[in-house]
Amino acid sequence: MIVAKILDMQEAIKKIPALFNFVPLHVEDPLGNLPDQFKNMYKYDTDDIVFYEFLKTQIDDNMLSFEFIPIPILSITTPNFRDQQFYLDDMNIEYAHRTPGGKGENITIVDVEYAWNFEHEDNFYKKGTLLGGTNNDAVSENKNHGTAVMGMLCGDNNELGVLGICPEINFFGYGQHPISCIKTIADKLLPGDIILIEFQMPGPRYNYINRPDQLGCVPPEFFDSIFNQIKYATDKGVIVIEGAANGEENLDDPIYQRKFDKTFRDSGAIIVGACHNIDKHVATYYTGYGSIVDCHGYGFGVVTTGYGDLCGPEYNRYYTKQFRGTSSAAPMIAGICACVNGIRKAQGQTVFTPIEMRDFIKRGAVSCIGDKQIGSWPDFKSLVKILTRFPDYNGDNLVDFSDFVEFARLYNNQSTVADLNFDGKLDNTDFDKFRLEYYGKQW
């Protein structure tokens, strides 16, 4: 027996993922007849869609029999945790999301780690999948970790759960160690797409021993085989994001033989440190730090999908308020890069190269506080102003002095013209000097 209820498509997208135990079926007939080919359970490309709560499945030889009843729409409700995602407010995410392309449209992110829950309710609309490797369910920590990263990046833009930084990206997982997959992934991507490496490696401090306290861990590019693959990816125009690791290491220490010195060698990756979520822009005790670290993100108290300490108990409704580490910091920067290049694509502009992106996201950013260098905190308010006011960032549209004043203010992260560092004043001589400098390099 089938009893069905037709729901408005937009309302279905908002409400139905809040239910844990449901089976959505592709509907050919708007009257609600069960289609013969119901293996396409997650297709929703018609104007009307029927959702059924699954009560019983019986497998008898080659026959499947089902019993369904209408879903009580409000029987299970996942709260909206957006007001607890303070990192979105601190990066001024609304400036990106209200700009065409600013939700990461037409950008792909591949997350390199070991496992994800692709059936999570908050991954319903932009469903992620595995690009390669194995989705290893054997260790729950792996699966929760990947699910947390996925929620930070592409949590559905709806009324429940969390909101992703770039909810319209194409998200893929690659379940393999980076030592053997970065080049393979890069060959599958387009310029402007992103590889997020959610790994750290035990370094020489403790004889390359993987310690339970993570001391001595370093970014993967310390190892030449991974560095070379990252360089291959960035040379192809693919942006690579690495965490600075949770090893409490000064990456400028001589023990690292200048492998984290960009003046000695540069993979083109963006390296991300971790800051406190309360004492913002102050390095956490565990984060790697040093001159190679470009940006920082929250390293404590990140609200996202997975783990289940904030919401559950059903696995597909797990949420957390305790995701942490450079593991939580790095996806923030990956998401920012996706939004920026999404905007560039929507403008019809060429996407930023990895080096251009690494420099650009620091414009208007907030510097870290304290002795540990963990880079800057990007701010969408400044970035979007530059992207929309000066879409051709090579400078061809800087045609008059008023444009120069506005651009220089944004470029230098100053609130008033008087604060600009051009000999205390701005005049046409400064304008000419600035144009010469600006035309001569990419920022």
Side-chain angles (χ1 to χ4, degrees):
M1 179 181 66
I2 299 169
V3 183
K5 181 178 181 180
I6 299 286
L7 299 172
D8 176 77
M9 182 61 167
Q10 294 302 317
E11 289 301 309
I13 290 173
K14 292 177 183 178
K15 295 179 180 179
I16 292 300
L19 298 165
F20 168 68
N21 190 21
F22 73 94
V23 177
L25 295 172
H26 177 58
V27 175
E28 302 290 350
D29 183 348
L31 296 178
N33 296 326
L34 181 68
D36 293 333
Q37 297 184 4
F38 48 79
K39 291 183 179 180
N40 283 330
M41 289 184 176
Y42 294 100
K43 294 183 69 173
Y44 41 91
D45 55 1
T46 59
D47 291 336
D48 295 300
I49 190 167
V50 178
F51 289 86
Y52 303 94
E53 185 169 13
F54 173 63
L55 294 184
K56 184 174 67 175
T57 303
Q58 178 181 353
I59 302 177
D60 182 13
D61 296 330
N62 294 323
M63 180 177 292
L64 295 176
S65 61
F66 293 85
E67 287 186 10
F68 301 89
I69 62 170
I71 293 178
I73 298 300
L74 300 178
S75 64
I76 304 174
T77 303
T78 297
N80 189 332
F81 300 118
R82 169 62 184 87
D83 62 354
Q84 299 182 46
Q85 293 180 270
F86 302 116
Y87 55 93
L88 297 182
D89 301 321
D90 287 344
M91 65 175 63
N92 284 312
I93 193 69
E94 70 276 8
Y95 284 87
H97 284 188
R98 69 192 186 198
T99 304
K103 295 177 183 177
E105 291 90 337
N106 300 309
I107 300 295
T108 294
I109 294 182
V110 179
D111 176 27
V112 181
E113 49 184 299
Y114 282 135
W116 307 260
N117 176 16
F118 292 123
E119 304 304 319
H120 193 282
E121 66 173 10
D122 223 348
N123 183 41
F124 177 78
Y125 182 59
K126 295 290 286 187
K127 195 173 183 63
T129 189
L130 195 68
L131 183 65
T134 303
N135 193 359
N136 182 3
D137 296 341
V139 181
S140 61
E141 167 61 24
N142 287 341
K143 198 163 188 177
N144 279 310
H145 191 284
T147 305
V149 170
M150 185 170 62
M152 289 183 65
L153 291 171
C154 53
D156 286 342
N157 185 15
N158 56 21
E159 296 177 355
L160 64 90
V162 296
L163 172 64
I165 298 169
C166 44
E168 296 298 324
I169 60 165
N170 304 307
F171 180 89
F172 294 94
Y174 207 101
Q176 196 167 325
H177 195 282
I179 198 170
S180 56
C181 69
I182 301 302
K183 182 179 183 298
T184 300
I185 298 169
D187 286 336
K188 297 177 181 291
L189 298 179
L190 299 174
D193 289 336
I194 298 163
I195 299 173
L196 171 61
I197 303 177
E198 284 284 315
F199 275 86
Q200 59 183 10
M201 306 280 284
R205 180 76 65 192
Y206 299 100
N207 297 317
Y208 304 97
I209 296 173
N210 202 353
R211 297 163 52 108
D213 59 11
Q214 305 182 65
L215 286 176
C217 283
V218 296
E221 71 170 52
F222 173 79
F223 297 91
D224 293 346
S225 60
I226 300 178
F227 175 92
N228 293 336
Q229 291 185 71
I230 293 174
K231 187 69 167 63
Y232 175 85
T234 59
D235 285 347
K236 287 175 65 69
V238 175
I239 294 165
V240 179
I241 311 291
E242 294 176 84
N246 304 331
E248 302 184 35
E249 286 294 306
N250 177 2
L251 301 176
D252 293 324
D253 191 291
I255 196 173
Y256 297 116
Q257 303 173 354
R258 298 187 70 188
K259 288 191 173 184
F260 295 122
D261 180 354
K262 288 177 183 172
T263 66
F264 180 69
R265 69 174 197 173
D266 185 358
S267 70
I270 299 173
I271 309 294
V272 184
C275 72
H276 285 272
N277 61 321
I278 297 176
D279 295 326
K280 296 167 186 175
H281 316 305
V282 176
T284 61
Y285 71 89
Y286 59 78
T287 185
Y289 60 96
S291 59
I292 196 173
V293 183
D294 300 291
C295 301
H296 60 266
Y298 273 21
F300 286 115
V302 170
V303 172
T304 182
T305 49
Y307 293 99
D309 58 273
L310 182 60
C311 184
E314 302 92 343
Y315 191 59
N316 288 353
R317 296 180 61 241
Y318 270 13
Y319 294 84
T320 183
K321 58 182 178 181
Q322 298 181 19
F323 194 40
R324 53 170 287 173
T326 52
S327 293
S328 63
M332 295 185 187
I333 305 306
I336 288 170
C337 294
C339 294
V340 168
N341 267 345
I343 293 171
R344 294 285 292 178
K345 281 193 173 184
Q347 292 173 330
Q349 299 290 332
T350 303
V351 294
F352 285 156
T353 69
I355 301 300
E356 290 169 350
M357 181 68 78
R358 190 170 69 185
D359 196 36
F360 177 73
I361 60 177
K362 300 174 187 177
R363 300 301 170 194
V366 180
S367 299
C368 61
I369 300 171
D371 296 332
K372 291 183 177 181
Q373 172 56 250
I374 55 169
S376 54
W377 175 275
D379 172 33
F380 271 124
K381 184 176 181 180
S382 294
L383 296 179
V384 170
K385 280 186 177 180
I386 295 173
L387 288 170
T388 54
R389 179 77 187 271
F390 305 97
D392 178 2
Y393 86 108
N394 287 318
D396 292 341
N397 63 324
L398 293 179
V399 295
D400 58 39
F401 188 70
S402 63
D403 276 349
F404 162 62
V405 171
E406 172 66 7
F407 181 82
R409 182 183 68 78
L410 293 168
Y411 185 91
N412 287 274
N413 192 27
Q414 303 294 336
S415 58
T416 66
V417 171
D419 290 333
L420 292 170
N421 186 21
F422 286 87
D423 301 324
K425 63 179 182 178
L426 286 171
D427 56 30
N428 286 320
T429 301
D430 290 319
F431 180 33
D432 292 337
K433 289 195 308 185
F434 184 82
R435 284 174 63 87
L436 286 171
E437 177 186 3
Y438 182 52
Y439 280 126
K441 67 180 182 180
Q442 309 240 320
W443 52 272

